[in-house]
Amino acid sequence: MPILKSLSFTALPKGSNDPAQMRRTKFIARLEEQKLLLNDPNHVRTVQRWTKANGERQATTKQQAVRPWWKTDASGQLVMSVKFGAKPIEFEKGKAGIVVGSKDKLPAVIDALIGAVRAGELDDLFAHAAKTGIIGKPRKAA
């Protein structure tokens, strides 16, 4: 026991259950996926799902397509929409798109959005999206 007496012990810190921080983390991961999709148009997300096989639950991995959040408008400019859940977030009333210009400027816009999320600038928009039912809405049973 002399070795254990040389160590100092403390209680474990509690994990953070902050919903705003969890939304930020998830959203940053989705923005990073958009950067990967920009570099590799065939990029897919690997997700783990639980399925029942022979009466037992088993973890299986599936490939999930990552859809781009940008489109080219009629004038030829690239417009990026920020999606949280299935719907784009409106930054101003009726304005959900960010004008990027060209594809080579897209990584800088994504990095700026990641910085804004880390700074907490989009927390109000995320909270509003959660209240209006865009995200976190339970699915109806089939």
Side-chain angles (χ1 to χ4, degrees):
M1 279 283 207
I3 297 173
L4 286 179
K5 288 188 180 198
S6 66
L7 302 175
S8 60
F9 298 97
T10 185
L12 290 175
K14 290 188 176 185
S16 175
N17 259 352
D18 182 21
Q21 187 61 40
M22 291 189 314
R23 284 182 189 140
R24 287 180 195 164
T25 304
K26 185 176 180 179
F27 192 71
I28 288 171
R30 295 295 186 243
L31 285 169
E32 293 290 345
E33 281 183 345
Q34 290 298 309
K35 284 173 62 174
L36 292 172
L37 184 64
L38 182 64
N39 294 330
D40 178 18
N42 297 322
H43 174 71
V44 291
R45 176 186 319 133
T46 304
V47 294
Q48 186 177 19
R49 299 283 185 237
W50 289 94
T51 58
K52 279 197 174 187
N54 300 328
E56 293 185 20
R57 288 180 42 161
Q58 292 181 340
T60 58
T61 56
K62 292 185 178 184
Q63 301 291 322
Q64 191 174 33
V66 178
R67 305 241 187 267
W69 288 359
W70 62 86
K71 294 180 184 177
T72 306
D73 68 357
S75 64
Q77 289 191 19
L78 208 64
V79 177
M80 182 175 180
S81 62
V82 176
K83 295 183 180 179
F84 204 84
K87 296 183 181 179
I89 292 177
E90 288 187 351
F91 292 96
E92 295 176 10
K93 186 72 174 166
K95 295 183 180 180
I98 302 169
V99 178
V100 178
S102 63
K103 217 172 195 177
D104 58 331
K105 295 179 184 175
L106 196 56
V109 171
I110 293 173
D111 289 335
L113 284 168
I114 289 173
V117 171
R118 285 195 176 125
E121 294 179 26
L122 297 178
D123 287 348
D124 292 338
L125 295 173
F126 294 160
H128 178 69
K131 275 187 207 171
T132 57
I134 293 175
I135 59 172
K137 197 172 187 179
R139 295 181 182 171
K140 292 183 179 178

